[in-house]
Amino acid sequence: MEEGPYKCVRDGNGTVNRVIRMGTRKSQLARIQTDYVAEKLKTLYPDVLLEIVAMSTIGDKILDTALSKIGEKSLFTKELENALERNEVDLVVHSLKDLPTTLPNGFTIGAVLQRESPHDAVVLHPKNSGLTLDTLPDGSVIGTSSLRRAAQLKKKFPHLEFKDIRGNLNTRLKKLDEKEDYAAIILAAAGLKRMGWEARVSQVLGPEDCMYAVGQGALAVEVRARDCDILGMVSTLHHSETVLRCIAERAFLRRLEGGCSVPVAVNTEVKDSVLSLTGAVYSLDGADSLKEAMETSVDSGNKVEESADIQHVGVTAHNVPQCAQVAAEKLGVDLADLLLSKGAMEILTTARKLNDAR
Ligand code: DPM
């Protein structure tokens, strides 16, 4: 029974309930992330019925090619956005770091949830138990297809070798454990935690070893930009500090014209209403790099603001002070401009060319 543009169902007592359809990829991590958001929505809106619609994306289908080599920006998002557009689903849960900094017209990020650890972690082959990146033998092969991770770690640990590894988290862990191809793999700590595999983390990499990817560790809810109803509903999931950090990070990446497949890394922090952003670009081998840091006040005072209908790098957050969002976005742009003035574009252009020729 359809009522207006929304799907509704009548229960045994004749009460009509709204159904929210949540789109997700089929991987276990995607399902866990979607279930997590579903739980939160269920608590906030007990009367709403939730339906989960799982689908495969290009990124899930092409498993033999490094992500950075597939010339498609929205690898994990396109099919899900098509379903949103066709009104087959009402919202989609993503890892924020997989969302391009410019979303296609008509879509927006309606919620950015509190970030988990944004750091990368080392998962060792069981035979190397007790070792660290430092103490692994010369020539040990580390699995990652992230140009960002490889660039930073090659520079820092020149005795190690780096090799692509693809597939979802389950596949990668299997490839690590059941073969002798890799001494260790590098994965996001957040994904490992969500999968319940924290016990496999032997080392968490701090910013001195490996800065993280833009948006890493945060979940995002993508919705139709014109769907005020759903926007209002999911906006209660926003975590202000995460929103501001991720706006700064995404603005930085967007200004550098970087997609999810360039060696760009960040580190952000909010302390006493000051947002600080460290950003860096790397050559593929990490030999060339530029790194700078800047900060800005995100203190909104006690100003009461009109809720302006403004997106910041794809994010719509009426309930987070606009002036703080504007400051965060400017911080990202300013830091990118500083790096660009020092030659960041040359480093990134060369990295892109070399990666394409690999
Ligand atoms: C993006 C990258 C990777 C994913 C590139 C990067 C890792 C690819 C690889 C943009 N997306 O980080 O430099 O290791 O070959 C991805 C993961 C998560 C979201 C898995 C991971 C889970 C963590 C999160 C894949 N996307 O990075 O280990 O929610 O941030």
Side-chain angles (χ1 to χ4, degrees):
M1 159 195 348
E2 295 284 334
E3 308 211 346
Y6 302 117
K7 182 175 173 183
C8 297
V9 293
R10 203 177 290 275
D11 67 15
N13 303 321
T15 315
V16 174
N17 287 308
R18 172 85 184 271
V19 179
I20 304 284
R21 292 151 308 167
M22 307 176 67
T24 178
R25 290 168 52 203
K26 284 181 176 166
S27 77
Q28 192 185 349
L29 179 63
R31 296 299 301 258
I32 288 171
Q33 295 183 163
T34 304
D35 288 348
Y36 176 80
V37 173
E39 281 304 313
K40 299 241 159 209
L41 287 172
K42 194 83 224 152
T43 310
L44 287 163
Y45 309 103
D47 293 337
V48 168
L49 298 173
L50 299 171
E51 199 175 286
I52 293 178
V53 183
M55 49 197 114
S56 299
T57 64
I58 309 171
D60 300 311
K61 287 172 195 156
I62 311 179
L63 292 176
D64 50 353
T65 314
L67 281 187
S68 59
K69 301 271 289 175
I70 309 172
E72 165 69 60
K73 265 200 196 159
S74 39
L75 275 183
F76 294 114
T77 55
K78 201 174 205 160
E79 279 88 347
L80 295 159
E81 279 164 353
N82 289 344
L84 260 181
E85 183 140 59
R86 291 193 297 260
N87 271 306
E88 291 165 9
V89 298
D90 301 300
L91 60 87
V92 178
V93 178
H94 302 279
S95 287
L96 180 59
K97 84 163 169 172
D98 293 328
L99 279 179
T101 53
T102 304
L103 298 182
N105 258 334
F107 302 104
T108 189
I109 298 165
V112 179
L113 284 79
Q114 180 164 16
R115 198 173 216 174
E116 289 276 351
S117 163
H119 300 287
D120 291 317
V122 179
V123 179
L124 291 169
H125 188 284
K127 73 173 182 211
N128 293 321
S129 167
L131 298 182
T132 63
L133 290 185
D134 245 331
T135 58
L136 276 170
D138 281 7
S140 293
V141 175
I142 310 299
T144 178
S145 15
S146 156
L147 302 180
R148 171 188 63 81
R149 290 172 182 148
Q152 294 181 81
L153 297 174
K154 274 177 189 167
K155 180 73 202 273
K156 181 92 188 181
F157 304 98
H159 68 293
L160 302 175
E161 279 179 31
F162 291 82
K163 245 191 169 158
D164 283 335
I165 182 165
R166 277 292 327 270
N168 60 41
L169 292 190
N170 308 64
T171 314
R172 287 184 195 207
L173 220 54
K174 236 181 157 164
K175 283 182 181 168
L176 173 70
D177 288 350
E178 293 176 6
K179 294 188 191 172
E180 299 281 320
D181 296 357
Y182 305 98
I185 57 178
I186 314 288
L187 295 169
L192 289 163
K193 172 159 187 223
R194 293 184 196 123
M195 295 288 278
W197 293 340
E198 271 171 311
R200 289 300 306 267
V201 173
S202 64
Q203 197 180 349
V204 174
L205 301 172
E208 61 293 343
D209 288 333
C210 190
M211 296 208 299
Y212 43 84
V214 164
Q216 185 161 316
L219 295 183
V221 181
E222 189 179 18
V223 301
R224 292 177 289 269
R226 62 179 184 283
D227 195 339
C228 300
D229 233 44
I230 297 276
L231 256 174
M233 197 174 237
V234 301
S235 68
T236 52
L237 300 172
H238 270 308
H239 181 255
S240 305
E241 184 180 312
T242 308
V243 168
L244 296 175
R245 288 171 66 186
C246 291
I247 285 178
E249 294 172 17
R250 286 170 60 79
F252 173 71
L253 183 62
R254 176 147 93 181
R255 188 67 157 200
L256 291 174
E257 295 169 36
C260 62
S261 57
V262 288
V264 169
V266 294
N267 193 79
T268 51
E269 192 182 70
V270 178
K271 218 175 176 177
D272 303 328
S273 294
V274 172
L275 169 63
S276 44
L277 166 66
T278 304
V281 303
Y282 305 89
S283 62
L284 292 190
D285 61 3
D288 275 342
S289 66
L290 285 169
K291 177 155 114 181
E292 294 291 341
M294 279 185 170
E295 55 182 46
T296 189
S297 166
V298 286
D299 186 1
S300 57
N302 286 317
K303 268 185 277 175
V304 179
E305 300 179 311
E306 295 271 303
S307 76
D309 183 26
I310 300 176
Q311 287 193 32
H312 296 278
V313 270
V315 179
T316 302
H318 297 315
N319 44 351
V320 177
Q322 282 297 327
C323 57
Q325 294 186 58
V326 170
E329 182 166 2
K330 183 172 184 304
L331 178 67
V333 172
D334 287 350
L335 187 69
D337 282 342
L338 177 62
L339 288 181
L340 288 168
S341 76
K342 299 189 172 210
M345 199 44 80
E346 288 72 62
I347 293 180
L348 289 179
T349 307
T350 308
R352 244 182 238 120
K353 271 190 203 145
L354 285 175
N355 185 51
D356 289 345
R358 262 197 318 160

